[in-house]
Amino acid sequence: MESIAVKISDISKVYKLYDKPSLRLKEALNPFHKSYHNEHFALDHVSLDIHEGECVGIIGTNGSGKSTLLKIVTGVLTPTTGNVQVNGKISALLELGAGFNMEYTGMENIYLNGTMLGYNKQEIEAKVQDILDFAEIGDFIYQPVKTYSSGMFARLAFAVAINVDPDILIVDEALSVGDIFFQSKCYRKFNEFKEKGKTIIFVSHDLSSIIKYCDRCLLLNKGKEIAVGSSQSVVDIFKKIQVNQFDDEKEEPIVIKKQENTDWKSAMVSNPNYLDYGNGKARIVDYAVLDKNGDLSPSVHKDEMFKIVFKIQFNEDIDHPIFAFTIKDLKGTEVTGTNTMLEESNLKKGKKGECVTVSFEQKMIAQGGQYLISLGCTGYENDDFVVYHRLYDICNLEVISDNNKIGFFDIHSKVTYE
């Protein structure tokens, strides 16, 4: 029988919310114990057994209770009800640099953190070289950490956490700051930890990493435990939550096909800072990404078919309108895109008062990661190029992959030996 590293038993965390500060005092002094607050369940009866040697992922939307749960596990917070049993020494990266003194040098912070974890000076000294080799920040180790870049800070914080030989490592989004080489090194260390029988609890919005590295996954939503199981199956449920296609009052997720949804964009992860312009003769009024099953989804798997669809309302007659989309990475580089003119599939005429839906279907060959979609409706009037409506960086698209290669695309190389 596998030994349990962390046992989370029926944990709830309730916060009292007051409409104004004076009500807190009024409640405390009320002789009849009248309540003046509303209760907010950051966690609502969550249970989970994590076994030794497992890498367990925790996912959920912002505010679902992920960080609250980790803080309870590490003893930073006390649960309102329930209890946590931890068997072993924990090293946690809940926030980058948590436990670091910004005025101290990197070296001083190594000793500070080691002391906080219960090591004596000799034990820390035995680990210093491994920490320095992993962090790779050179002579900056003797400078105050307040002078570090975010990348250097991430390297040192992770190097300290992962090289103090904990039994249980907890990581909460700490890898998003480092570059791809640093992240690769960290994930190799993850695998080394697992091979040594260590336990990892990993919170991330990077669903590709969750699928690739986690043996199991816990999904939280609004403080409640929604699902525990294989990472792929739990991620599939999470994708439905992301587009409001999951009814947490029912046992089974509710799948809404595209033809049943009259307002696609409300289910997408839209960008509040998108750029919107054009002369208004036509307007893009709705948009969506559909996965291989035709379901609304802000994320698609690499090497699977998907569609980008959007609706255009014509306010005037337009001859041969051109519809287009582009996909950019988070640095603004256009990764790919096309339009109906390049595809030789133009609409002959957009008639005033009509609403037309255009659909681009293709195979996703981009690497796993986060991207932004831009949409456009343009054309030519008397040989002059005209923009009727453009929505730049209107929504997010996540590509899920458990096997990323180098660069933007996977060219599916085949290796042979003779």
Side-chain angles (χ1 to χ4, degrees):
M1 183 176 179
E2 293 180 305
S3 299
I4 293 178
V6 179
K7 187 175 185 63
I8 301 168
S9 304
D10 201 29
I11 289 293
S12 291
K13 183 63 178 177
V14 184
Y15 291 99
K16 295 180 179 180
L17 303 182
Y18 297 87
D19 292 334
K20 51 186 179 180
S22 60
L23 293 179
R24 186 186 299 272
L25 179 62
K26 190 174 182 180
E27 180 178 282
L29 299 177
N30 190 283
F32 303 105
H33 305 290
K34 183 177 179 180
S35 173
Y36 291 92
H37 68 269
N38 296 313
E39 290 188 339
H40 169 67
F41 279 79
L43 291 171
D44 191 356
H45 299 287
V46 175
S47 297
L48 178 67
D49 287 348
I50 300 173
H51 299 97
E52 288 184 3
E54 274 195 307
C55 183
V56 175
I58 301 178
I59 60 175
T61 57
N62 290 331
S64 61
K66 305 185 298 296
S67 294
T68 301
L69 180 59
L70 293 191
K71 288 176 180 178
I72 289 174
V73 171
T74 56
V76 175
L77 290 177
T78 302
T80 304
T81 61
N83 61 79
V84 174
Q85 179 182 344
V86 177
N87 300 314
K89 184 177 293 184
I90 287 182
S91 181
L93 274 171
L94 300 185
E95 297 171 1
L96 276 179
F100 275 50
N101 187 317
M102 301 302 290
E103 301 297 326
Y104 285 11
T105 67
M107 186 65 77
E108 289 169 334
N109 271 292
I110 291 174
Y111 281 88
L112 174 63
N113 275 260
T115 302
M116 292 169 62
L117 288 168
Y119 293 103
N120 60 39
K121 184 178 180 181
Q122 289 72 29
E123 289 172 325
I124 299 170
E125 287 176 347
K127 303 175 187 300
V128 165
Q129 193 58 50
D130 288 338
I131 293 171
L132 298 182
D133 291 343
F134 195 95
E136 293 182 347
I137 61 174
D139 290 339
F140 279 96
I141 195 67
Y142 301 107
Q143 300 299 318
V145 295
K146 67 181 181 182
T147 65
Y148 289 11
S149 68
S150 59
M152 291 166 58
F153 205 89
R155 287 175 179 271
L156 181 59
F158 195 88
V160 171
I162 209 165
N163 283 290
V164 293
D165 197 30
D167 300 304
I168 303 163
L169 177 68
I170 297 178
V171 182
D172 185 1
E173 293 291 1
L175 301 184
S176 59
V177 180
D179 59 30
I180 187 172
F181 304 109
F182 177 62
Q183 292 181 32
S184 176
K185 179 191 271 189
C186 294
Y187 287 130
R188 287 201 302 272
K189 197 72 173 180
F190 274 17
N191 289 329
E192 288 179 21
F193 260 51
K194 292 178 67 176
E195 290 171 2
K196 291 180 180 178
K198 307 288 186 177
T199 306
I200 301 170
I201 304 175
F202 184 36
V203 171
S204 180
H205 289 290
D206 182 355
L207 300 182
S208 298
S209 295
I210 291 289
I211 292 172
K212 183 173 183 178
Y213 294 102
C214 296
D215 304 307
R216 290 189 300 141
C217 190
L218 165 67
L219 172 59
L220 296 175
N221 189 43
K222 300 175 184 177
K224 295 181 179 181
E225 174 188 330
I226 300 300
V228 179
S230 70
S231 298
Q232 181 64 70
S233 61
V234 173
V235 165
D236 288 342
I237 297 174
F238 180 47
K239 288 166 61 178
K240 295 178 174 65
I241 290 176
Q242 286 181 305
V243 293
N244 300 315
Q245 295 179 12
F246 181 81
D247 186 348
D248 56 8
E249 298 300 322
K250 297 180 181 292
E251 292 185 0
E252 297 294 330
I254 305 301
V255 177
I256 304 175
K257 298 292 184 179
K258 58 181 175 56
Q259 63 267 25
E260 299 171 33
N261 196 304
T262 58
D263 185 11
W264 297 335
K265 61 186 178 184
S266 65
M268 302 307 297
V269 182
S270 296
N271 176 13
N273 300 312
Y274 69 91
L275 180 61
D276 178 342
Y277 70 94
N279 66 13
K281 289 185 178 180
R283 290 196 63 81
I284 300 168
V285 295
D286 208 357
Y287 50 85
V289 174
L290 307 177
D291 65 16
K292 67 175 183 178
N293 299 315
D295 297 332
L296 286 166
S297 177
S299 57
V300 297
H301 288 265
K302 191 173 81 170
D303 293 330
E304 290 187 355
M305 299 299 294
F306 76 105
K307 292 181 181 180
I308 294 175
V309 298
F310 54 101
K311 295 179 181 179
I312 302 91
Q313 176 71 47
F314 290 98
N315 299 320
E316 295 187 19
D317 288 345
I318 297 176
D319 291 327
H320 303 290
I322 301 169
F323 309 115
F325 78 87
T326 58
I327 298 177
K328 301 179 185 177
D329 66 13
L330 297 186
K331 296 178 181 178
T333 304
E334 290 189 346
V335 176
T336 189
T338 190
N339 62 51
T340 51
M341 184 172 69
L342 293 174
E343 301 296 335
E344 299 181 351
S345 185
N346 268 356
L347 184 70
K348 290 184 178 180
K349 189 179 187 68
K351 297 180 181 179
K352 181 178 180 179
E354 278 189 342
C355 188
V356 172
T357 299
V358 60
S359 174
F360 293 88
E361 183 176 14
Q362 50 277 310
K363 186 177 184 180
M364 176 52 71
I365 61 172
Q367 306 287 25
Q370 301 290 335
Y371 298 89
L372 292 168
I373 294 176
S374 298
L375 307 173
C377 176
T378 61
Y380 288 90
E381 295 181 0
N382 300 321
D383 295 327
D384 293 327
F385 182 72
V386 179
V387 175
Y388 301 119
H389 194 204
R390 273 182 176 160
L391 296 174
Y392 270 161
D393 302 337
I394 185 60
C395 63
N396 172 261
L397 171 65
E398 179 177 21
V399 178
I400 299 174
S401 169
D402 61 1
N403 186 18
N404 271 351
K405 307 297 173 61
I406 298 170
F408 290 127
F409 299 106
D410 189 340
I411 57 176
H412 295 287
S413 294
K414 302 295 183 183
V415 179
T416 60
Y417 296 96
E418 294 182 1

